[in-house]
Amino acid sequence: MPPLLEVIDLHTEFRTGAGLVRAVDGISYTVDPGETVAIVGESGSGKSVSALSLLRLIPDPPGRVTQGRVIFAGRDLMQLSEEQMRNVRGGDIGMVFQEPMTSLNPVLTIGRQITETIEQHRGHDPVAAQRRAIELLGLVGIADSERRLKQYPHQLSGGMRQRIMIAIALACDPKLIIADEPTTALDVTIQAQILELMQSLTRRLGVALIIITHNLGVVARYASRVNVMYAGRIVESGSAAALYHDPHHPYTLALLRSVPRLDRPRQARLDPIEGSPPDLTRLDRGCSFRPRCRFAIARCAEAPPPLEAAGAPGQFAACYRSNELAAVAGEAA
Amino acid sequence: MTAIAGDVASHAAGKPVGNTAGNQGPLLQVRGLRMHFPVTEGMIARRHVGDVKAVDGVDLVIGRGETLGLVGESGCGKTTMGRCILRLETPTAGEILYDGVDIAKLGRRDLVALRRRIQVIFQDPYSSLNPRMKVGSIIGEPMRVHGVEPDAGRRSARVAELLSLCGLNPNFADRYPHEMSGGQRQRVGIARALALNPEFIVCDEAVSALDVSIQAQIINLLEDLRDKFNLTYLFIAHDLSVVRHLCQRVAVMYLGRVVELAACDELFDNPLHPYTRALLAAVPIPDPVVEATRAFQPVAGEVPSPINPPPGCVFHPRCTLAVAECRRTRPQLRELRPNHWVACDVVQ
Ligand SMILES: Nc1ncnc2c1ncn2[C@@H]1O[C@H](COP(=O)(O)OP(=O)(O)O)[C@@H](O)[C@H]1O
Ligand SMILES: Nc1ncnc2c1ncn2[C@@H]1O[C@H](COP(=O)(O)OP(=O)(O)O)[C@@H](O)[C@H]1O
Ligand code: SF4
Ligand SMILES: [Mg+2]
Ligand SMILES: [Mg+2]
């Protein structure tokens, strides 16, 4: 079966006062039908820009997708007309963003926002749309749907608003949902409710999910495959099990080592990644992780390492030392 | 009034709630602390229609040199607790004994002296640093205001010393906050908190906004400073794995109340309160193999309004163990295991 989504060598730039920012610098990945794929990385690594790029939502100016193809269900999204693209967004691709308050319209009722999507994409009449809206609220675990549909976004809690966003994302039977930090603003018990809900619904309805997060625990719990981003590139990708248990990029390794874990004995001291994330306007031609990397060698300064097979089948890493990493890191530890 | 009587009774019974982990004696004792914010209605004649019971009867002890973690979901009253201890709020009721003196009722002059001894580090280094001041002035300002280092030359030497103590190059003194990364700004916030040689620091979500790699750097810094200066921390956070790493004891809050209090290892190894258990279960472990073996059912519902908290145990509407009695009687903290206090009458 061909992948549902194939992102091929995508590049997105921003022209800023400080210089040219290559926010997404040649990323490629695939998502199979019904699969949950995570994009993980620290703030500024290009996770949101990569998602907005494939949805063609990058503000131009200052931004521009300069290169790449995005094959979704057999069509290259980069070649569609703006009108065709509007039908894809909210239709075959649903979206859930971090702050539902900014994606929901504050002056429209919840009901109107759901029915509007259904009427626009599926051409339902208002009565059918209303019926579907009630059904959707039930699906996302909101009781008392008649009353809720008449409420405005500000009358709901953060968790409720995110449930509404999920209902809207599901409204037109999408093939894919892109969720960008869907629970980052929520408390841990509400985060768990929302993620469990997304997992059970996408599984039940066979919808693929791209979940963008900086939380390594969320990735481990919900994703089958993972792309790790650093400075606009995917530096490692593969199955979650392979990446967490046998990382082949120093950044993945360092990320995993820097977090305290509730299931392990308390460490005497944490092992941070020294330094700070790079300034994207001042990248040199070498590996962008080099200034913080414990394993850098002379070659790392010459050219950015390509993403190549490393480790388990289906695992890839962009590091000149990926295949010696386990041995070298073991010595260092 | 029965609740207040209950709080007092727990002291009268002898042992104060929550023995400290340290052996240097208590530095801070909070007893029956309440902070209620009035809710008013009407534009001209403002009518008092209720209270936000942000903190509603809290007892705590923090030993000198100890780090107490304060965890719980947003709105449960953690920041308000910290602000009462810093005396940025005047509590509605209760005592805050700091080094033996009740600071809950101190007047303005005595508060100035207190501010030298108790400092704070905030979550968002960006909004807590004046964008128009250079880092050197931000850190030097408290020394000038308190007359600690009136001489400008000596003051900048001290700023340089604080910067390098916090892992920053002393020439950062000439930068503005916007010229620094989030982690660097948090180091400035820490240097500023240390400027007056405090003994107690309220860390209010001090690492929550930082990326994980930077978070680990700042946690290590806070640990080093604690050891070096025998600092006492109230470490407010919602990330339980960070709290477990850094703290000696932990208090879990829910809707203005402490529901569980124990030594760190004891709390994480043997959580007793149903809310603490729900919180711990909700934290995903960064390991797909471990996660694949964890079956869990997230706790249902959301935190109720602190204006009309539920009667009895405030957690009962979400609790799977709740019995009829939980809807009627507010459980007091009781010592279910040695030095392990739980406000639930059902768990054994
Ligand atoms: N509208 C914009 N104008 C200029 N730069 C931008 C804009 N949006 C994003 N960027 C830059 O692109 C980079 C990647 O950002 P983003 O994708 O939002 O990161 P992430 O989601 O991983 O935190 C950052 O350096 C950011 O500053
Ligand atoms: N100055 C204030 N006036 C009215 N309500 C307040 C004030 N400060 C805090 N609150 C309320 O008190 C409760 C506890 O808030 P807070 O202490 O900030 O919680 P936390 O830090 O645990 O998130 C919340 O319901 C909050 O809205
Ligand atoms: S390519 Fe070199 S600098 Fe980059 S991660 Fe690998 S070892 Fe480190
Ligand atoms: Mg983002
Ligand atoms: Mg707070």
Side-chain angles (χ1 to χ4, degrees):
Chain A
M1 197 163 32
L4 173 68
L5 176 78
E6 201 171 353
V7 177
I8 305 162
D9 200 27
L10 189 67
H11 291 255
T12 304
E13 298 176 351
F14 288 95
R15 281 173 206 290
T16 72
L20 188 69
V21 173
R22 295 201 175 82
V24 172
D25 196 17
I27 65 167
S28 303
Y29 65 93
T30 60
V31 178
D32 286 336
E35 183 188 29
T36 295
V37 171
I39 299 181
V40 65
E42 294 180 273
S43 47
S45 59
K47 304 182 298 295
S48 297
V49 169
S50 73
L52 295 173
S53 300
L54 64 90
L55 292 164
R56 298 204 3 216
L57 288 173
I58 294 294
D60 176 8
R64 207 160 63 85
V65 176
T66 55
Q67 195 179 320
R69 288 187 295 151
V70 177
I71 315 295
F72 174 72
R75 295 193 294 177
D76 185 351
L77 297 185
M78 296 297 129
Q79 305 303 327
L80 299 189
S81 70
E82 188 42 48
E83 196 191 334
Q84 288 172 311
M85 201 55 216
R86 267 198 301 273
N87 284 326
V88 172
R89 290 191 292 260
D92 281 346
I93 303 184
M95 299 166 288
V96 178
F97 294 116
Q98 171 171 349
E99 200 11 273
M101 214 41 198
T102 55
S103 3
L104 290 169
N105 186 334
V107 299
L108 289 185
T109 62
I110 297 304
R112 188 63 202 123
Q113 305 195 47
I114 303 178
T115 52
E116 197 170 54
T117 305
I118 302 169
E119 287 166 28
Q120 184 200 328
H121 286 93
R122 291 293 178 260
H124 284 20
D125 62 66
V127 176
Q130 176 79 10
R131 212 168 37 233
R132 174 76 176 137
I134 290 172
E135 179 186 301
L136 284 164
L137 288 201
L139 207 58
V140 298
I142 297 183
D144 198 6
S145 50
E146 308 263 351
R147 184 173 66 93
R148 292 294 186 189
L149 287 174
K150 296 196 188 87
Q151 289 186 313
Y152 291 89
H154 70 89
Q155 294 173 299
L156 303 178
S157 67
M160 279 296 166
R161 285 197 289 263
Q162 207 54 297
R163 285 176 196 264
I164 300 291
M165 287 306 298
I166 296 171
I168 294 174
L170 287 171
C172 303
D173 303 309
K175 298 189 175 77
L176 172 69
I177 290 180
I178 300 180
D180 188 355
E181 308 266 9
T183 58
T184 301
L186 302 176
D187 278 312
V188 55
T189 64
I190 308 300
Q191 164 176 306
Q193 290 174 3
I194 297 294
L195 291 170
E196 289 293 308
L197 176 73
M198 295 210 344
Q199 183 182 53
S200 72
L201 288 176
T202 49
R203 275 191 187 160
R204 199 164 94 212
L205 304 170
V207 182
L209 178 65
I210 297 178
I211 182 159
I212 296 176
T213 176
H214 63 274
N215 186 322
L216 295 166
V218 167
V219 174
R221 187 177 276 178
Y222 297 102
S224 56
R225 284 197 304 132
V226 188
N227 297 303
V228 181
M229 282 192 77
Y230 191 80
R233 293 170 182 244
I234 293 176
V235 295
E236 184 158 10
S237 68
S239 75
L243 253 71
Y244 279 74
H245 285 271
D246 193 14
H248 274 63
H249 194 284
Y251 178 62
T252 317
L253 178 73
L255 263 189
L256 290 167
R257 283 191 179 174
S258 67
V259 288
R261 279 177 57 162
L262 281 180
D263 64 326
R264 294 230 176 118
R266 275 211 261 178
Q267 295 154 266
R269 204 173 163 75
L270 296 180
D271 189 7
I273 306 180
E274 298 304 336
S276 330
D279 175 350
L280 294 182
T281 58
R282 296 196 191 154
L283 290 182
D284 62 15
R285 58 202 168 87
C287 168
S288 55
F289 189 57
R290 180 172 42 96
R292 307 174 77 186
C293 182
R294 283 178 202 176
F295 309 103
I297 50 177
R299 187 180 173 197
C300 307
E302 287 163 15
L307 191 65
E308 286 173 341
Q315 187 175 4
F316 297 84
C319 168
Y320 293 120
R321 307 196 70 189
S322 58
N323 286 317
E324 339 158 41
L325 191 61
V328 190
E331 264 167 43
Chain B
M1 289 327 276
T2 51
I4 296 179
D7 293 342
V8 174
S10 68
H11 296 292
K15 199 163 177 178
V17 166
N19 285 10
T20 64
N23 48 13
Q24 304 176 57
L27 179 59
L28 182 85
Q29 280 180 273
V30 172
R31 291 181 186 165
L33 190 72
R34 276 163 217 275
M35 183 72 235
H36 293 185
F37 296 104
V39 183
T40 53
E41 234 172 43
M43 295 298 284
I44 300 152
R46 301 197 64 78
R47 246 171 352 107
H48 181 206
V49 292
D51 287 300
V52 176
K53 299 182 180 77
V55 174
D56 201 25
V58 166
D59 296 344
L60 281 179
V61 182
I62 307 183
R64 202 179 281 275
E66 185 185 42
T67 297
L68 177 77
L70 192 57
V71 304
E73 293 175 284
S74 50
C76 70
K78 305 181 295 298
T79 293
T80 305
M81 272 292 298
R83 289 177 57 84
C84 287
I85 291 167
L86 289 157
R87 272 306 310 276
L88 298 171
E89 305 284 358
T90 300
T92 314
E95 293 176 352
I96 304 172
L97 297 178
Y98 186 78
D99 212 3
V101 178
D102 186 0
I103 62 170
K105 297 166 191 78
L106 282 191
R108 195 177 304 156
R109 187 130 45 85
D110 296 314
L111 280 178
V112 174
L114 181 74
R115 298 249 147 85
R116 287 181 53 173
R117 302 176 67 184
I118 310 185
Q119 286 290 317
V120 60
I121 303 167
F122 294 104
Q123 161 166 6
D124 182 356
Y126 205 60
S127 63
S128 66
L129 303 178
N130 185 336
R132 281 181 296 276
M133 268 163 90
K134 285 187 177 172
V135 163
S137 318
I138 289 173
I139 300 172
E141 185 70 4
M143 293 187 245
R144 199 185 55 77
V145 170
H146 286 265
V148 181
E149 203 69 86
D151 177 72
R154 298 241 309 264
R155 206 158 61 226
S156 43
R158 172 93 175 115
V159 167
E161 184 189 321
L162 286 164
L163 282 170
S164 50
L165 192 65
C166 294
L168 293 173
N169 190 312
N171 66 24
F172 271 74
D174 288 324
R175 294 209 195 173
Y176 288 96
H178 73 260
E179 297 172 313
M180 312 175 82
S181 71
Q184 289 167 339
R185 284 196 289 259
Q186 196 54 295
R187 291 177 191 269
V188 172
I190 295 171
R192 177 181 58 180
L194 291 174
L196 299 173
N197 286 317
E199 48 195 2
F200 186 102
I201 301 183
V202 175
C203 306
D204 190 353
E205 307 276 6
V207 301
S208 307
L210 304 172
D211 277 315
V212 288
S213 70
I214 308 298
Q215 201 174 59
Q217 295 175 6
I218 301 297
I219 290 168
N220 283 352
L221 174 63
L222 290 172
E223 281 183 317
D224 291 344
L225 296 171
R226 175 176 68 191
D227 297 347
K228 192 163 177 163
F229 300 112
N230 191 31
L231 293 172
T232 305
Y233 292 147
L234 175 65
F235 190 80
I236 299 174
H238 59 265
D239 184 329
L240 295 168
S241 48
V242 168
V243 165
R244 173 170 174 261
H245 176 80
L246 200 70
C247 301
Q248 278 110 39
R249 278 189 315 129
V250 182
V252 182
M253 281 186 82
Y254 189 77
L255 218 58
R257 305 170 188 195
V258 171
V259 297
E260 186 158 6
L261 177 66
C264 194
D265 289 331
E266 167 69 11
L267 187 105
F268 284 97
D269 293 345
N270 297 304
L272 292 172
H273 197 282
Y275 178 62
T276 311
R277 291 186 184 172
L279 266 185
L280 282 171
V283 180
I285 304 291
D287 185 333
V289 174
V290 172
E291 276 304 325
T293 62
R294 277 178 94 200
F296 100 109
Q297 185 65 43
V299 59
E302 301 192 355
V303 181
S305 156
I307 299 177
N308 275 314
C313 171
V314 284
F315 188 59
H316 86 252
R318 303 174 76 189
C319 184
T320 49
L321 301 183
V323 295
E325 191 55 25
C326 306
R327 287 183 263 283
R328 284 195 293 270
T329 315
R330 170 176 173 172
Q332 301 300 310
L333 279 175
R334 61 192 174 109
E335 194 174 11
L336 203 54
R337 295 161 57 104
N339 290 320
H340 189 155
W341 301 73
V342 191
C344 170
D345 293 331
V346 176
V347 289
Q348 285 310 320

